[in-house]
């Protein structure tokens, strides 16, 4: 029913790379081809090779390099007049923004990518971008808004027999069920995702599915050893492909499993390791979740209650700032579990705000996208966006929900 998994983000001269190619290999080959294309003045090939370079840097946790690479890919695509390639670059930038916890910027870039993908006639990048919007909403805990989009993308993937897309959608839906307490449903979905990924030789998707299964086996069944075994199997794939982010989340989950089993010293060690890994790659969501686990472990090991309360209150504020609804609820449960009260009265929920750097990046991306046309209106919009980059960041107005219209797209998210 399903074919072998493929990686459409590896384009041009890099189509021989597979979904399971080591990221070090992708980076080396992509960089070599990018330099050759730049020297030859081949803008289209530079954009395509630059996309692979950007994605390799992102998945390796090299945020600054990834940021430079996707923007360079966009400029090369713009110089070539290749709208679809511009969309791919914006998709990469939006995915990076989500990884960094800049969710407002992620929505903006992924929305632009979907629009340009449609304009350029590339249903693949449009589908990837819709999936990116869905995953951004899911990570923020906005299940009602994006649940239907996940289901539509799953149905489309099944119809086309696209393994990688199907696995992504199944895992996203499973995670929403797991976070909502429907463990049995989540387990069945993760199990199906693992089976499809294994058959399609999608090692990345398989590793994420095993992580999901380990979480439920631990939380629902209390089967610590089986959960640890699943995580060990997943870690082998993460290390083989040098998936820095997936490996860090694997270590964080291992900490969760050990914590639930009452093995607090071991849990503390894993949370500390994961925290260092997330900090190194600049991923605030993973960092905050690791801090939460570490704080709980230290509390169980006798840490001063006042210090625990202060740490949890600070975590709650940080999660509120970046807009992680589900994680904020996890902090509240931890406060209740540990019997500590917030050190200051809770503040009203606010719309997450962009940092000045994020606002500037958004304005730059908007200006670049507007520059793809040469009408006076677009030139004016570009100038306005550039001017906004110099202004202090303000609370953004509410954004429209991502469209749920799916018309023949092939979509997936390369985590």
């Amino acid at each position: 029913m399903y074919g072998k998994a493929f990686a459409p983000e590896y384009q041009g001269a890099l189509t021989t790379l597979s979904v399971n190619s080591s990221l070090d290999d992708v980076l080396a080959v992509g960089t070599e081809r990018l330099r050759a294309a730049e020297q030859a003045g081949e803008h289209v090939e530079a954009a395509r090779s630059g996309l692979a370079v950007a994605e390799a840097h992102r998945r390796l946790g090299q945020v600054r390099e990834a940021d430079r690479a996707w923007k360079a890919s966009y400029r090369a695509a713009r110089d070539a007049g290749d709208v679809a390639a511009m969309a791919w670059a914006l998709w990469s930038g939006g995915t990076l923004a989500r990884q960094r916890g800049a969710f407002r910027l992620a929505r903006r870039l992924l929305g632009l990518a979907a629009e340009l993908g449609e304009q350029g006639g590339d249903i693949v990048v449009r589908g990837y971008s819709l999936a990116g919007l869905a995953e951004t909403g899911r990570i923020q805990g906005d299940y009602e808004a994006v649940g239907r989009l996940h289901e539509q993308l799953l149905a489309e993937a099944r119809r086309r027999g696209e393994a990688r897309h199907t696995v992504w959608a199944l895992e996203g839906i499973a995670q929403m069920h797991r976070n909502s307490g429907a463990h049995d449903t989540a387990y069945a979905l993760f199990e199906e995702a693992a089976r499809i990924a294994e058959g399609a030789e999608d090692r990345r998707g398989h590793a994420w599915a095993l992580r999901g299964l380990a979480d439920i086996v631990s939380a629902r069944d209390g089967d610590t050893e089986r959960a640890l075994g699943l995580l060990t199997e997943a870690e082998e794939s993460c290390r083989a492909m040098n998936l820095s982010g997936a490996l860090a989340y694997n270590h964080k989950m291992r900490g969760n499993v050990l914590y639930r089993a009452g093995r607090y010293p071991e849990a503390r060690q894993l949370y500390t390791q994961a925290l260092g890994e997330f900090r190194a790659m600049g991923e605030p969501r993973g960092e905050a979740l690791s801090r939460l686990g570490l704080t709980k472990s230290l509390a169980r090991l006798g840490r001063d209650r006042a210090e625990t309360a202060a740490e949890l209150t600070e975590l709650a504020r940080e999660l509120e700032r970046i807009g992680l609804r589900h994680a904020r609820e996890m902090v509240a449960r931890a406060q209740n579990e540990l019997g500590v009260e917030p050190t200051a009265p809770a503040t009203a929920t606010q719309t997450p705000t962009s940092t000045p750097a994020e606002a500037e990046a958004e304005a730059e991306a908007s200006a670049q996208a507007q520059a793809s046309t040469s009408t006076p209106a677009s030139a004016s919009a570009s100038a306005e966006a550039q001017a906004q980059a110099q202004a202090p960041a303000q609370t953004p107005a509410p954004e429209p929900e991502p469209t749920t219209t799916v018309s023949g797209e092939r979509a997936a998210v390369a985590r």
Side-chain angles (χ1 to χ4, degrees), residues 2 158 163 166-167 170 191-202:
Y2 296 99
R158 289 192 189 279
T166 301
V167 168
L170 284 169
E191 192 172 43
E192 182 182 1
R195 184 172 62 253
I196 294 172
E198 184 175 26
E201 299 179 7
D202 177 5

Side-chain angles (χ1 to χ4, degrees), residues 19-38:
V19 68
N20 295 322
S21 293
S22 164
L23 294 179
D24 291 327
D25 291 342
V26 173
L27 186 57
V29 175
T31 300
E32 180 181 2
R33 186 66 193 105
L34 173 60
R35 290 173 179 168
E38 289 175 337

Side-chain angles (χ1 to χ4, degrees), residues 132-214:
L133 286 168
E135 183 156 343
T136 302
R138 176 177 61 78
I139 288 172
Q140 291 188 275
D142 197 3
Y143 298 161
E144 183 177 354
V146 301
R148 185 178 298 109
L149 180 54
H150 272 81
E151 294 285 356
Q152 287 182 283
L153 292 169
L154 174 59
E156 180 64 25
R158 289 192 189 279
R159 187 175 70 82
R160 291 181 174 272
E162 295 171 356
R164 195 181 183 202
H165 176 196
T166 301
V167 168
W168 165 82
L170 284 169
E171 290 170 351
I173 296 168
Q175 193 64 52
M176 288 188 280
H177 281 295
R178 187 265 180 265
N179 292 344
S180 301
H183 289 165
D184 292 346
T185 301
Y187 184 90
L189 293 170
F190 277 127
E191 192 172 43
E192 182 182 1
R195 184 172 62 253
I196 294 172
E198 184 175 26
E201 299 179 7
D202 177 5
R203 297 187 70 180
R204 181 185 293 109
H206 190 243
W208 280 102
L210 291 179
R211 175 183 170 275
L213 288 171

Side-chain angles (χ1 to χ4, degrees), residues 38-49:
E38 289 175 337
Q39 291 175 358
E42 299 173 352
H43 297 305
V44 173
E45 187 58 38
R48 291 171 174 171
S49 299

Side-chain angles (χ1 to χ4, degrees), residues 2 22 35 59 87 130 137 166 201 215 244 246 260 272 329 331 342 357 360 376 386 390 395 409 412:
Y2 296 99
S22 164
R35 290 173 179 168
R59 292 165 179 164
L130 287 175
T166 301
E201 299 179 7
D215 184 25
S244 302
R260 291 172 189 146
T272 300
E329 293 169 355
V331 173
E360 182 175 354
Q386 290 174 346
Q390 306 303 322
T395 301
E409 293 90 346

